[in-house]
Amino acid sequence: MRDAATLEAKYKRFINQICNTEIIYALKQEHGFAFLYANHFEDEEGEDAILLCFWSNEIYANLCKQAEWKNYQVQEIPLNTFLKNWCIGMKKDYNFAGIECDPNLYCSEKDPIQLALDIFEELILQGKLENFKEYYAIYKDFSA
């Protein structure tokens, strides 16, 4: 069993780093993005939900390019695109986010709306919310 405090520390580091760089990393191949099945979330049919996997830097993503992901390529996703399209899209599709997967494919599992709200909190702390205000208004509706 992984230490919950370690996972939370990795998650906070992820949030801080992606807000600093305004880039998120994923692994992609011809048929889509790298994913796992969730341990803590279910889809609309009661099955294990899909976790789309994201990393805060290219090195962490590359460490997971093994086994079924060995032919995947690292894909950069601008933070504004992630907030505009990905988080809401994941919520609509009953998908969740796998954050900072390690080479054993163990990661934090996050609801995409909560992930976006955590990103906005960090953007506020970093004084960068102005660049993302149009997306912030959308997510405020989800948290109301």
Side-chain angles (χ1 to χ4, degrees):
M1 196 68 153
R2 299 288 175 154
D3 184 321
T6 301
L7 284 177
E8 188 61 23
K10 285 174 67 174
Y11 178 69
K12 287 181 180 185
R13 184 190 68 222
F14 170 86
I15 295 293
N16 180 273
Q17 189 161 344
I18 65 168
C19 289
N20 273 329
T21 63
E22 298 183 21
I23 300 287
I24 295 173
Y25 296 88
L27 292 175
K28 184 180 180 187
Q29 52 102 345
E30 176 181 332
H31 301 290
F33 287 86
F35 71 91
L36 302 169
Y37 289 99
N39 291 312
H40 304 293
F41 292 107
E42 294 180 345
D43 64 16
E44 71 277 17
E45 297 170 0
E47 301 293 324
D48 290 341
I50 288 176
L51 293 176
L52 293 170
C53 300
F54 304 102
W55 293 267
S56 60
N57 69 52
E58 190 172 358
I59 294 168
Y60 295 153
N62 274 316
L63 289 173
C64 294
K65 286 177 54 175
Q66 52 188 319
E68 68 262 17
W69 293 350
K70 69 181 175 190
N71 295 320
Y72 284 60
Q73 301 302 313
V74 175
Q75 175 83 39
E76 288 186 6
I77 304 168
L79 185 56
N80 63 343
T81 301
F82 188 76
L83 292 169
K84 180 180 179 185
N85 300 322
W86 282 78
C87 291
I88 290 173
M90 283 190 287
K91 190 66 171 182
K92 287 179 181 176
D93 293 340
Y94 295 93
N95 293 329
F96 295 84
I99 304 299
E100 301 286 42
C101 292
D102 65 19
N104 296 316
L105 304 183
Y106 190 78
C107 59
S108 294
E109 299 181 12
K110 298 294 180 178
D111 176 89
I113 301 304
Q114 185 59 55
L115 172 58
L117 294 171
D118 291 344
I119 291 168
F120 287 121
E121 284 182 20
E122 182 64 25
L123 289 169
I124 291 168
L125 289 173
Q126 292 186 16
K128 292 183 170 184
L129 185 62
E130 189 63 36
N131 300 336
F132 299 92
K133 264 191 172 170
E134 65 185 282
Y135 312 122
Y136 182 64
I138 295 167
Y139 287 97
K140 281 181 68 172
D141 292 341
F142 279 102
S143 65

